[in-house]
Amino acid sequence: DSFGAHNGFWVQSGEVRHRGLELEANVDLTGGFSAVAGYSYIDAEITSSNDGDEGNRPALVPEHEASLWANYAFRSGRLDGLSMGAGVRYVGSSYGDSTNARETPAHTLVDAALRYRRGAVEGALNVTNLFDKEYYAICRAGGGCGIGDEREIQLTVSFDF
């Protein structure tokens, strides 16, 4: 264990195996449209353990994750330099600890962005969890669930020099 007799030290308590597949597609479509899609599948298992959880899934490792982002960039006229995008992120269910006694539910979130570039200056407005969806980031056996991040709005200005 990581505490108790070994307070202040981490002690390896077993082995974990991760096998999986990751796919990503990045596509430039006509007329300023582009899209990026991604998917990952992870078959994770605790293969050896001193803690009695051999055969369980490691904590915080969802089996499935997927995302899709679409973007549109204006390329001429009064809106030249403006681009906007939106995306969806799916995170599958996972366990809060290696006992696998309590599952953290899957969740899907929507993000958005608005950017404007003029010469060497770019301004960007990024919003994660656009609809301020309440979801659980982690649920532990006997310890309750922790709420995930609320909507976050970030405004940045950058200069190329």
Side-chain angles (χ1 to χ4, degrees):
D1 89 354
S2 57
F3 299 105
H6 305 287
N7 194 14
F9 298 93
W10 290 97
V11 177
Q12 183 173 332
S13 62
E15 295 178 352
V16 177
R17 183 197 74 222
H18 290 79
R19 294 181 181 162
L21 171 72
E22 291 187 54
L23 302 171
E24 182 175 292
N26 191 340
V27 181
D28 281 327
L29 305 169
T30 61
F33 285 101
S34 62
V36 177
Y39 170 76
S40 69
Y41 167 77
I42 301 173
D43 177 19
E45 180 183 346
I46 299 170
T47 57
S48 172
S49 176
N50 297 329
D51 297 330
D53 50 11
E54 189 172 318
N56 287 357
R57 188 166 188 82
L60 306 175
V61 181
E63 189 173 23
H64 301 278
E65 290 184 284
S67 63
L68 175 63
W69 182 267
N71 195 62
Y72 179 75
F74 293 90
R75 296 186 177 160
S76 62
R78 300 181 84 193
L79 298 178
D80 185 31
L82 179 67
S83 66
M84 59 184 89
V88 178
R89 292 179 286 139
Y90 170 79
V91 178
S93 62
S94 63
Y95 293 101
D97 57 37
S98 62
T99 65
N100 291 181
R102 188 159 185 201
E103 191 173 50
T104 303
H107 60 274
T108 302
L109 301 173
V110 175
D111 304 323
L114 184 64
R115 292 175 297 282
Y116 183 72
R117 175 173 280 282
R118 178 67 123 201
V121 180
E122 181 178 80
L125 176 68
N126 294 292
V127 183
T128 56
N129 193 4
L130 179 66
F131 299 117
D132 203 21
K133 180 179 179 176
E134 187 172 295
Y135 65 98
Y136 295 119
I138 186 171
C139 292
R140 295 187 187 273
C145 294
I147 301 292
D149 292 334
E150 298 176 337
R151 178 188 306 123
E152 183 177 314
I153 301 171
Q154 184 178 36
L155 179 63
T156 59
V157 176
S158 59
F159 303 90
D160 294 336
F161 57 93

